[in-house]
Amino acid sequence: GIFVGVGKSDYQELISQTEHQGYSLLGNSISILASRLSYLLDWTGPAVAIDTACSSSLVAVHQACQSLRQGGCEVALAGGVCVLVT
C-alpha cells in the first residue's frame, strides 16, 4: 500500500506560467499522487493521498500501520511531501 501525506503546493502555479500547459492540468493534482506512485512501482493495494494540514505525514504513517495490522496490505510505503517554490 502507498500512503502519502500531501499538502497544497505552489509548484502548480509556477508550472502553469511556463509553455508546458499539458503538465499543469493532470500532472499536479495532489489527489492522484499515491496512485501515480503505485502505478510506477507496479504495486497493488491501497493508494491513499492524505491532506490533514500539518499532520498529513503523521496520519499517512498511522494509516499505513493500521493497514498492515488489519491485513489491508503486506507492505506499506508512507511519507509526506510539500513542494514550495521560493
Side-chain angles (χ1 to χ4, degrees):
I2 307 254
F3 300 84
V4 181
V6 61
K8 181 170 175 8
S9 166
D10 57 354
Y11 179 71
Q12 183 170 2
E13 182 180 330
L14 177 68
I15 200 166
S16 67
Q17 296 170 1
T18 68
E19 296 178 19
H20 305 289
Q21 293 297 322
Y23 296 111
S24 63
L25 179 61
L26 294 176
N28 290 296
S29 176
I30 62 174
S31 63
I32 61 172
L33 175 62
S35 297
R36 284 180 172 262
L37 287 171
S38 182
Y39 177 79
L40 179 70
L41 298 173
D42 195 26
W43 283 18
T44 58
V48 183
I50 300 165
D51 183 0
T52 58
C54 296
S55 63
S56 298
S57 297
L58 179 61
V59 174
V61 170
H62 174 74
Q63 292 292 323
C65 292
Q66 288 275 10
S67 186
L68 289 168
R69 282 192 208 117
Q70 296 173 355
C73 59
E74 295 177 8
V75 176
L77 175 65
V81 64
C82 181
V83 178
L84 299 175
V85 178
T86 58

